[in-house]
Amino acid sequence: GTVQGDATFNDGSYNSGTAQGDATFNDGSYNSGTVQGDATFNDSSYNNSGTVQGDATFNDGSYNSGTVTGNATFNDSSYNNNGGTVQGMTYVRQSPAAFVAWRDSCSSYCCQGGLTLKFPQMDVLGTGLL
């Protein structure tokens, strides 16, 4: 089906059609269809072979196994799963140790637009170890 506007998916629900606006996925919900706007994935939700035709933000252990045509930001313990593709710039806002694990699991094609590390918090020395 098609949602004409913004949509929110909760509690394991999913999109296998087209959301013609922005979409938010919570509580293990997932996208296997197309989001024609920006998407936010929270609480272990994921982009499962779907396409986000805008920017995507991944939080709280969520992940990307599909395609993001815009930029993607990975916060907390979120990650780009093997097979996931980000065509725009990829931003990772995690601790240095989490970033190293993230980088090691990321295939070379997952970050086509480039990869940028942004520490979530910085101390005076710039170590990011707060």
Side-chain angles (χ1 to χ4, degrees):
T2 300
V3 176
Q4 295 179 341
D6 297 342
T8 300
F9 300 88
N10 296 312
D11 303 319
S13 61
Y14 61 92
N15 174 40
S16 61
T18 302
Q20 294 180 330
D22 296 340
T24 301
F25 297 85
N26 300 309
D27 306 316
S29 58
Y30 63 92
N31 178 44
S32 290
T34 301
V35 175
Q36 293 179 334
D38 296 338
T40 301
F41 296 86
N42 300 309
D43 310 316
S44 300
S45 60
Y46 53 99
N47 186 26
N48 181 43
S49 70
T51 299
V52 176
Q53 294 178 336
D55 296 339
T57 301
F58 297 88
N59 301 307
D60 307 318
S62 59
Y63 62 91
N64 179 41
S65 287
T67 300
V68 177
T69 63
N71 298 329
T73 300
F74 294 88
N75 297 311
D76 310 314
S77 57
S78 61
Y79 59 97
N80 195 69
N81 204 19
N82 193 7
T85 302
V86 177
Q87 295 175 348
M89 180 62 78
T90 300
Y91 299 97
V92 179
R93 292 186 173 98
Q94 298 173 354
S95 70
F99 172 73
V100 169
W102 193 98
R103 181 204 62 203
D104 290 347
S105 69
C106 184
S107 300
S108 60
Y109 60 84
C110 75
C111 307
Q112 295 175 354
L115 177 63
T116 300
L117 170 63
K118 294 191 175 190
F119 292 115
Q121 295 179 327
M122 297 293 266
D123 63 10
V124 176
L125 299 175
T127 65
L129 301 176
L130 288 179

